[in-house]
Amino acid sequence: MQRYVIPIILIALALVAPAVVYPVFLMKALCFALFALAFNLLIGYVGLLSFGHAAFFGGAAYITAHTVKVLGWSPELGILAGVLAATAMGVVIGALAIRRQGIYFAMITLALSQMVYFYALQAKFTHGEDGIQAVPRLPMFGFIHIHNDLTLYYVVLAIFLFGFWIVYRTIHSPFGQVLKAIRENEPRAISLGYNVERYKLLAFVLSTALAGLAGATKSIVFQLASLTDVQWQMSGEVVLMTLVGGLGTVFGPVVGAFVVVTMQTYLAEYGEWVQVIQGVIFVIVVLLFRRGIVGEILALWRRQRPAPAVAPAPAE
Amino acid sequence: MSTLFGVSTQALFGQLLLGLINGSFYAMLSLGLAVIFGMLNVINFTHGAQFMMGAFVAWMILNWFGLPYWAALVIAPIVIAAVGIVLERLFLRRLYHLDHLYGLLLTFGIAIIIEGLFRYQFGSSGQAYDNPIPGGQNLGFMFLPYYRGWVVAVSLAVCLGTWYVIERTKLGSYLRAATENPALVQAFGINVPRMIMLTYGFGVGLAALAGVLAAPMQNVSALMGTNLIVVVFAVVVIGGMGSIMGSIVTGFALGIVEGFTKVFYPEASNSVIFVIMAIVLLIKPAGLFGTAR
Amino acid sequence: MKLSTMLIGAAALALASGGAQAQVKLGVLNDMSSLYADIGGKGSVLAAQLAVEDFGGSVLGQPVTIVFGDHQNKPDVGSGIAKQWLDTDHVTAIVDVPTSSVALAIQEVMRDKKRIFLMSGPASSDISGKACSPYGFQLTYDTYALAHGTGGALVKQGGDTWFFLTSDYAFGHALERDTADAVTKAGGKVLGAVRHPLNTQDFSSFLLQAQASKAKVIGLANAGGDTINSIKQAAEFGIVSGGQRLAGLLVFISDVHALGLKTAQGLVITDAWYWDMNDESRAWAKRFMAKNDNKAPSFTQAGVYSEVLHYLQAVKAAGTVDADKVAAEFRKAPIDDFMGHNVRIREDGRAEREFLLVQVKKPDESKYAYDYYKILSKIPASEALRPLSESECPLVKKS
């Protein structure tokens, strides 16, 4: 029972948060938190740094925006369409990228997502620089009126919790254990008989599907899908969020996302300084705090416990 | 108006020549990246920002000190190389013992800082830098500005010169040996960390030189490097990371391919390099000239 | 309950709920850091401050406050800032907003939340066309005016074949479309067009295509830094010396300043206002320049002054900040200031302003700083603007 205390407190906080905090800001943070969770699945648990995750986030956003605005689909179908699109892209890009590892993998994902960006720049349905605007907030499932920001917030929270649950279950499953084994020592995993390529691809596709879910939801919340969502700077941002929060921890990406979104919102007046500050944080975290906020907290906590605890720590 | 493959020869050769010019930049930048990657095993994400800084130094010394373009060609690479060396000593060196991804992330963070600072100071619409060799030659099939011809010449000279030094001289052989087995080379009494530092400086200097070359052609703006750098990464992947000749040849070749595409299928011109990269990865993952590392 | 108690209670309620919101808060939203920063940027904030000062600093008993934001030319950033301003900061009107794609996104937000949107920055004629809104006002120029001014003039001078270099977003497309219409109506022909992304550095391949088309006029359907770059690089490739003319369809005084008179001389431009056109404009411009680093105001910045002043007058006349009432007052009285006298506002939100056809002076013709333009002629609103009978705006009642 004890292990559920923290999650329950957090969920309770999340339920009442809109009373204190601007709901649109919360929704933005939740979408990015989901995006970061998806990204972290790959880097934290499989050891693959994808520098092109914006392709899935933004690609799904475009598909969802298009189906809802132009084809008139209701939001839940639009989101589903976005997720499927992201998954499809994930299969193709993943199949190509998995062939290499480490830095090469990162470069390939970056370059392939640039291709997606250029396609988005030119395709008719994305409207280039204008983006897909004024995506209507039609009632979800026919009766949930998400036109109201507050109602939409709870829907987004539900989507986020669903995504979080999937990530959590994946990590704490036999599949997740094999992924960790691959990250630790790939040749040994191969020698044990695991089809390592298949596992990596599966993890990649799962990650892209969740990134797509985040992007699709974002386009419904902001009623807009634009080039910003598929640019490589967006890929860089999700890396920043995950690093700051804590690579390879369950809550790290969520914390990181909230920190970065908060910073962007409150420093928005300062234009370029936001970018500089993000860069400085990036550098400091890479040099000194590689474990990220949550990672450092966990390390501190573990150091303070007298006996090696058997209690399941959320990170490992 | 004569036509070739259904397109006017003027348009075709014009775009090919432009492609060669673009290829010069791709070659010089990917050469710098390849040299750095070969020695340090670090993907220098800051390369684009260093390219941009090279152009800005040229602009600064013209507008603040009245020094012309020809001085900038020498001064800017040295200044930016020095900055790069400081970067290597203070920051990059601490990460060599870790996974190479951290080097990538560090240079990425530094690139963001540099771009943000320049954008703050100078805005992003850019500054004007005058063409030092205005005018051009009407070659019949197209009008070639003198300056652009100069760019191709310099680029070829620098690239081939670098290749020669690395592949055919004693200094180059030390470099290549240190890349393969730093401990052994250090045991022979060669100061390997210093070589690494200087190599990084050299690669960065190449980027800055490319920046000076670019300044009269484009607007000198804080955003100059960002979009270029991703294309250069693709070039390096296609050529084979760590292969010097590979990156030079691939740079020029891809510039020409891009030029071709602009004539026949302009919509795809931005993505053709990435498509080629995807194909190369499928057939020869180590790159056209690379060896699997 | 006694009538007096009810009245007092009602008044108290009105004061309590209306009091907090009766304050006028203006949000100046534009590009503060990128290619359109010189056209609007901090200068627009200054113009708004001057207007508030001249009005008296307060309206309806409350001081007027100004906030500003940088939309970075991105619709998502712009609409995010707008929504936050409206929801949490109680901004009553948003001002300026260059970059048509952002303006269109914000038009929707303002329509949804019922707040006043005063535009002096964006050019797309769709803003008072198919995307018109009862709360949105396009008060300076639009692509139709630019097209008919410059396009018409050049065709008359013999430039009857055109090739377009177009910025690939709402503004560029609208400008290309409107100019192509104007050119064909005047008897010319459009030979082709090429689209480029916003904020392009290298125009060489596009210019080469334009050169190959052999069109007499190359229409630059772009703005800001893109226009400057295209003109500079066109000079590099010998396009003008090769006999083709460049038509800068949207050129601001800051662009001419950046290009220098040597490169920009001879360019024919349609302008909504020029700082040196008459005494009262000069007087205002001198005030502005004193606080703006001696940089002359663009017509969008002057437009910000004009629209803020008119808005404050409308709020005073309406007695409230409620958007419907203020919009009605805004339309009722014509705009009357140094930019233009007796400028009526149409039901589609367009101000019926007169335009200037100007030509950039040669370097030896310029006698003082920013003395850049020679006024060729004045274009009355009836000629420059899309007639209401052709309007696609659903608010316009067609008889």
Side-chain angles (χ1 to χ4, degrees):
Chain A
M1 191 54 207
Q2 192 206 2
R3 65 191 283 192
Y4 291 118
V5 166
I6 296 186
I8 290 183
I9 294 180
L10 288 173
I11 295 184
L13 275 175
L15 287 172
V16 299
V20 188
V21 188
Y22 183 37
V24 179
F25 165 82
L26 284 172
M27 289 193 274
K28 181 174 183 189
L30 284 175
C31 287
F32 279 103
L34 185 55
F35 187 24
L37 277 171
F39 171 78
N40 184 40
L41 189 62
L42 267 185
I43 177 77
Y45 296 94
V46 191
L48 292 170
L49 171 67
S50 160
F51 230 108
H53 250 50
F56 313 110
F57 181 78
Y62 272 121
I63 299 290
T64 304
H66 183 76
T67 51
V68 172
K69 177 169 185 196
V70 177
L71 302 178
W73 292 12
S74 61
E76 71 277 4
L77 290 177
I79 293 181
L80 193 59
V83 172
L84 287 173
T87 314
M89 281 200 286
V91 171
V92 173
I93 294 183
L96 278 171
I98 299 279
R99 289 165 166 255
R100 307 287 269 139
Q101 294 162 31
I103 299 190
Y104 302 87
F105 176 83
M107 311 292 297
I108 292 165
T109 51
L110 175 59
L112 289 175
S113 82
Q114 245 339 56
M115 246 167 69
V116 173
Y117 167 74
F118 284 124
Y119 173 70
L121 190 54
Q122 309 203 333
K124 281 264 138 57
F125 82 97
T126 58
H127 301 296
E129 300 282 349
D130 302 331
I132 303 183
Q133 300 189 8
V135 176
R137 284 197 196 164
L138 302 170
M140 215 156 163
F141 298 111
F143 64 93
I144 307 183
H145 290 282
I146 54 176
H147 191 85
N148 180 327
D149 277 343
L150 193 58
T151 320
L152 186 56
Y153 168 75
Y154 289 113
V155 172
V156 170
L157 182 61
I159 294 179
F160 168 78
L161 288 172
F162 170 69
F164 185 88
W165 177 76
I166 292 197
V167 171
Y168 190 81
R169 290 300 295 142
T170 307
I171 298 171
H172 297 279
S173 70
F175 175 72
Q177 298 293 83
V178 176
L179 290 180
K180 270 178 247 167
I182 295 176
R183 179 191 67 189
E184 297 295 318
N185 195 329
E186 193 168 321
R188 195 182 294 167
I190 299 178
S191 71
L192 283 171
Y194 288 107
N195 186 340
V196 160
E197 298 300 316
R198 187 107 64 83
Y199 275 89
K200 287 203 282 194
L201 186 60
L202 211 52
F204 190 87
V205 172
L206 185 58
S207 171
T208 62
L210 285 171
L213 180 59
T217 312
K218 187 213 81 115
S219 75
I220 299 280
V221 170
F222 287 93
Q223 301 178 268
L224 181 50
S226 73
L227 285 176
T228 320
D229 302 331
V230 279
Q231 277 179 333
W232 62 266
Q233 287 88 342
M234 176 64 81
S235 296
E237 270 192 33
V238 76
V239 177
L240 174 69
M241 290 178 196
T242 311
L243 260 182
V244 164
L247 223 58
T249 63
V250 170
F251 285 103
V254 180
V255 170
F258 268 83
V259 166
V260 172
V261 172
T262 309
M263 192 185 65
Q264 284 178 346
T265 311
Y266 288 103
L267 294 179
E269 290 199 353
Y270 299 102
E272 291 69 50
W273 284 115
V274 180
Q275 198 182 348
V276 175
I277 293 174
Q278 275 183 216
V280 170
I281 293 180
F282 217 109
V283 169
I284 293 179
V285 169
V286 169
L287 283 174
L288 301 170
F289 295 114
R290 276 182 285 280
R291 288 183 285 217
I293 296 178
V294 174
E296 293 291 333
I297 294 178
L298 284 173
L300 259 168
W301 182 55
R302 232 168 276 142
R303 232 177 288 147
Q304 292 192 349
R305 292 179 84 90
V310 185
E316 237 71 273
Chain B
M1 200 179 0
S2 53
T3 61
L4 199 63
F5 304 123
V7 170
S8 80
T9 39
Q10 181 188 28
L12 184 67
F13 283 110
Q15 296 289 7
L16 277 182
L17 204 45
L18 280 180
L20 194 62
I21 294 166
N22 278 338
S24 316
F25 285 102
Y26 293 154
M28 274 188 75
L29 289 169
S30 65
L31 177 61
L33 271 179
V35 166
I36 293 176
F37 182 75
M39 247 339 255
L40 285 75
N41 236 316
V42 162
I43 298 282
N44 185 31
F45 224 108
T46 328
H47 222 65
Q50 286 150 344
F51 165 79
M52 179 266 288
M53 286 199 290
F56 261 101
V57 167
W59 178 84
M60 283 180 209
I61 63 178
L62 177 67
N63 281 290
W64 297 351
F65 303 114
L67 295 171
Y69 172 82
W70 310 102
L73 274 179
V74 176
I75 295 179
I78 294 179
V79 168
I80 302 299
V83 171
I85 287 177
V86 168
L87 220 100
E88 196 275 335
R89 282 241 65 213
L90 285 182
F91 301 119
L92 269 179
R93 197 169 280 204
R94 293 168 197 254
L95 300 175
Y96 290 151
H97 63 286
L98 291 171
D99 193 318
H100 300 307
L101 288 175
Y102 284 108
L104 169 70
L105 291 176
L106 178 72
T107 51
F108 179 74
I110 295 180
I112 296 182
I113 297 177
I114 295 178
E115 189 190 303
L117 285 174
F118 273 81
R119 267 185 66 192
Y120 173 73
Q121 187 59 34
F122 296 102
S124 44
S125 47
Q127 315 290 336
Y129 193 89
D130 279 333
N131 189 340
I133 343 176
Q137 184 67 31
N138 193 330
L139 299 173
F141 58 85
M142 83 159 268
F143 181 86
L144 174 67
Y146 288 133
Y147 185 72
R148 301 207 180 214
W150 160 252
V151 166
V152 178
V154 170
S155 174
L156 271 171
V158 169
C159 287
L160 291 174
T162 308
W163 173 82
Y164 185 80
V165 166
I166 293 184
E167 297 290 327
R168 295 274 185 268
T169 63
K170 194 154 115 176
L171 174 64
S173 63
Y174 286 164
L175 268 167
R176 282 180 285 130
T179 311
E180 284 196 35
N181 199 332
L184 198 56
V185 172
Q186 190 137 12
F188 279 121
I190 297 181
N191 190 339
V192 172
R194 175 134 54 104
M195 256 205 306
I196 293 183
M197 196 174 74
L198 291 173
T199 309
Y200 186 74
F202 177 72
V204 168
L206 273 178
L209 180 62
V212 177
L213 287 174
M217 281 172 38
Q218 307 176 0
N219 240 2
V220 176
S221 109
L223 300 177
M224 277 172 86
T226 35
N227 289 315
L228 191 53
I229 196 65
V230 185
V231 179
V232 176
F233 283 151
V235 169
V236 175
V237 170
I238 294 175
M241 310 239 234
S243 158
I244 305 296
M245 187 46 92
S247 38
I248 300 176
V249 169
T250 320
F252 280 108
L254 284 173
I256 295 179
V257 169
E258 209 186 43
F260 246 125
T261 322
K262 279 202 182 127
V263 181
F264 292 110
Y265 193 21
E267 290 81 19
S269 55
N270 274 329
S271 355
V272 66
I273 293 188
F274 301 110
V275 171
I276 294 179
M277 186 194 75
I279 297 175
V280 167
L281 281 169
L282 280 172
I283 308 177
K284 194 166 186 253
L288 292 175
F289 297 89
T291 44
R293 273 173 145 254
Chain C
M1 206 198 281
K2 285 211 326 207
L3 184 62
S4 53
T5 325
M6 274 186 3
L7 280 175
I8 295 177
L13 255 174
L15 267 176
S17 58
Q21 275 119 318
Q23 182 175 40
V24 165
K25 206 169 192 184
L26 300 165
V28 178
L29 184 62
N30 57 28
D31 175 10
M32 300 251 172
S33 52
S34 177
L35 74 166
Y36 296 146
D38 289 325
I39 296 170
K42 286 274 154 68
S44 294
V45 182
L46 174 60
Q49 283 165 345
L50 287 175
V52 171
E53 244 175 65
D54 287 352
F55 186 78
S58 68
V59 73
L60 300 183
Q62 300 255 18
V64 178
T65 43
I66 302 179
V67 292
F68 57 90
D70 181 357
H71 64 46
Q72 302 175 35
N73 300 316
K74 299 191 175 141
D76 44 340
V77 177
S79 66
I81 296 179
K83 280 201 188 125
Q84 178 139 17
W85 275 352
L86 299 182
D87 290 337
T88 49
D89 297 328
H90 305 297
V91 165
T92 52
I94 293 190
V95 177
D96 196 5
V97 193
T99 314
S100 303
S101 49
V102 185
L104 286 167
I106 300 202
Q107 178 95 302
E108 295 309 308
V109 173
M110 303 305 256
R111 193 205 304 269
D112 207 35
K113 311 250 180 196
K114 293 202 206 294
R115 304 287 171 96
I116 301 281
F117 188 20
L118 304 165
M119 295 172 265
S120 63
S124 170
S125 53
D126 288 338
I127 289 174
S128 52
K130 31 181 200 239
C132 69
S133 142
Y135 309 107
F137 299 96
Q138 196 171 24
L139 297 160
T140 49
Y141 66 141
D142 63 29
T143 46
Y144 190 94
L146 296 172
H148 285 258
T150 314
L154 284 173
V155 172
K156 276 198 211 112
Q157 290 181 15
D160 54 4
T161 51
W162 282 61
F163 185 93
F164 287 100
L165 194 56
T166 307
S167 199
D168 197 9
Y169 72 114
F171 155 73
H173 301 165
L175 190 51
E176 184 196 315
R177 175 197 68 212
D178 289 341
T179 313
D181 276 345
V183 164
T184 21
K185 271 203 199 113
K189 210 169 103 161
V190 177
L191 299 179
V194 66
R195 303 255 165 98
H196 70 79
L198 194 60
N199 232 335
T200 296
Q201 298 291 324
D202 187 26
F203 285 89
S204 44
S205 63
F206 308 115
L207 287 169
L208 219 55
Q209 291 179 46
Q211 216 172 17
S213 75
K214 304 256 191 286
K216 294 205 190 114
V217 180
I218 300 179
L220 300 174
N222 51 24
D226 287 338
T227 305
I228 297 178
N229 266 340
S230 330
I231 297 179
K232 265 179 60 181
Q233 288 173 16
E236 213 191 315
F237 278 88
I239 285 188
V240 176
S241 50
Q244 290 170 300
R245 282 188 79 156
L246 286 176
L249 292 168
L250 177 52
V251 178
F252 291 89
I253 196 158
S254 45
D255 302 329
V256 175
H257 185 76
L259 281 167
L261 287 179
K262 202 162 119 209
T263 320
Q265 60 182 301
L267 266 178
V268 170
I269 302 172
T270 305
D271 213 338
W273 173 83
Y274 174 46
W275 74 274
D276 206 12
M277 65 192 249
N278 55 36
D279 285 329
E280 34 177 7
S281 297
R282 261 188 290 273
W284 186 82
K286 294 262 154 68
R287 273 178 73 197
F288 181 89
M289 281 163 83
K291 296 194 178 159
N292 192 41
D293 248 353
N294 277 328
K295 290 195 269 208
S298 66
F299 66 79
T300 50
Q301 289 161 338
V304 168
Y305 175 91
S306 166
E307 64 203 15
V308 169
L309 199 54
H310 197 72
Y311 169 74
L312 292 172
Q313 288 159 352
V315 169
K316 183 158 169 212
T320 163
V321 291
D322 171 67
D324 290 297
K325 301 209 174 68
V326 174
E329 291 296 328
F330 197 86
R331 282 205 180 83
K332 233 200 274 179
I335 299 182
D336 196 19
D337 55 35
F338 67 84
M339 249 187 120
H341 294 284
N342 214 3
V343 175
R344 211 179 65 90
I345 300 178
R346 314 199 306 200
E347 55 262 49
D348 57 359
R350 256 250 47 123
E352 278 182 340
R353 201 178 272 296
E354 149 186 279
F355 288 83
L356 302 168
L357 191 66
V358 304
Q359 183 166 39
V360 178
K361 287 185 174 173
K362 300 209 227 317
D364 48 14
E365 288 173 332
S366 165
K367 305 282 179 252
Y368 42 90
Y370 288 95
D371 174 24
Y372 294 154
Y373 294 161
K374 200 171 15 194
I375 300 184
L376 297 176
S377 62
K378 296 206 172 132
I379 312 176
S382 50
E383 270 178 47
L385 298 175
R386 194 194 302 275
L388 279 174
S389 55
E390 288 176 26
S391 171
E392 294 177 307
C393 170
L395 294 173
V396 174
K397 296 166 212 51
K398 306 258 175 71
S399 45

